[in-house]
Amino acid sequence: MTHGDDQGLIFPHRLAHIQAVIVPILKTEAENGPVMETVNRVFAELKAAGIRVKLDDRTEVTPGFKFNDWEMRGVPLRIEIGPKDVEKGSVALARRDKPGREGKSFVPQAGLAAAVADLLTDIQKSLLEKATAFRDSHIFEPKDYDELTEVVQKGWAYSWWCESVECETKVKEDTKATTRCIPIDQPEGHGKCIVCGKDAKHKVYFAKSY
Ligand SMILES: [Zn+2]
């Protein structure tokens, strides 16, 4: 849910049921034989290397349809193999987390399994960095209750809370936000509850759930 975009899901590869999908680009009868030979060989090599790879050999839909279909389902990496790739001994790789030209690269068929494994690791790292940056940019430390009611409309409020049901209920009634998490790492000492001003032992996150 954190990683998705307007095109649909994006799965980190450690979670992904399918980590890479191979889409053959078929054009003419004469070229199809060599393309499918390469496709089948690459598929077998990746599978043998422990990559959860899927071959999309549907003939009733276009490559473009397949691209959109697998993007929506969040498969982290697409491998395109067409007549030009057969000629050059390469494949085209398209990362799900970077749409369009930015996420596209051409790599040799030799050593492909290692290149794919590296790229999957890189995708995972980049998704985590993006999600962490997004999270950190949405954490606020309001100075008073008024500010808390504002910041929970756009992110998390990190504030002292006295742990009383009354204070949490007030926040919920005023803003629809509730306490989401009491972090294990707590600042030294005590503070004052952002709602009632009484002593508070813990700093917690208030936010709305979706
Ligand atoms: Zn309180």
Side-chain angles (χ1 to χ4, degrees):
M1 205 166 76
T2 296
H3 304 305
D5 63 15
D6 290 347
Q7 267 63 54
L9 299 168
I10 302 181
F11 276 111
H13 79 276
R14 286 184 203 152
L15 284 178
H17 175 58
I18 300 171
Q19 298 175 317
V21 61
I22 303 176
V23 178
I25 313 294
L26 300 176
K27 290 187 175 151
T28 66
E29 288 275 327
E31 291 164 337
N32 290 356
V35 168
M36 285 315 291
E37 252 171 56
T38 305
V39 162
N40 286 322
R41 183 171 46 77
V42 165
F43 175 70
E45 282 172 15
L46 294 182
K47 209 171 166 185
I51 291 158
R52 295 194 287 278
V53 60
K54 157 103 184 158
L55 168 55
D56 188 350
D57 55 4
R58 288 178 288 176
T59 51
E60 70 280 13
V61 294
T62 63
F65 179 92
K66 294 178 184 179
F67 294 176
N68 290 332
D69 197 25
W70 295 111
E71 272 175 18
M72 186 182 69
R73 293 162 195 255
V75 173
L77 191 64
R78 181 176 74 236
I79 303 167
E80 301 166 19
I81 302 175
K84 283 236 168 68
D85 304 298
V86 172
E87 216 174 276
K88 291 181 188 163
S90 63
V91 304
L93 301 178
R95 303 166 60 130
R96 174 64 183 87
D97 64 323
K98 292 185 180 167
R101 195 164 289 206
E102 192 201 349
K104 203 126 187 212
S105 58
F106 299 89
V107 303
Q109 288 165 21
L112 183 63
V116 164
D118 283 352
L119 198 50
L120 287 172
T121 305
D122 191 55
I123 294 170
Q124 180 106 14
K125 190 169 152 250
S126 133
L127 286 174
L128 178 63
E129 278 168 7
K130 210 171 137 192
T132 306
F134 177 87
R135 182 199 66 191
D136 291 348
S137 70
H138 287 77
I139 293 173
F140 303 93
E141 294 196 48
K143 63 180 185 310
D144 56 26
Y145 185 69
D146 273 353
E147 203 176 308
L148 178 137
T149 63
E150 281 166 32
V151 299
V152 292
Q153 305 308 324
K154 53 187 178 184
W156 294 272
Y158 181 51
S159 301
W160 292 100
W161 172 47
C162 68
E163 290 163 67
S164 77
V165 176
E166 289 78 10
C167 286
E168 186 174 29
T169 306
K170 178 169 169 55
V171 173
K172 192 175 181 184
E173 283 173 0
D174 291 347
T175 67
K176 296 195 175 75
T178 51
T179 54
R180 311 304 309 172
C181 166
I182 303 179
I184 292 169
D185 287 334
Q186 285 288 329
E188 296 278 317
H190 293 197
K192 300 287 179 197
C193 174
I194 187 98
V195 188
C196 68
K198 288 182 190 153
D199 277 341
K201 287 187 195 129
H202 292 113
K203 263 188 123 167
V204 304
Y205 290 104
F206 289 92
K208 292 204 275 188
S209 70
Y210 291 91

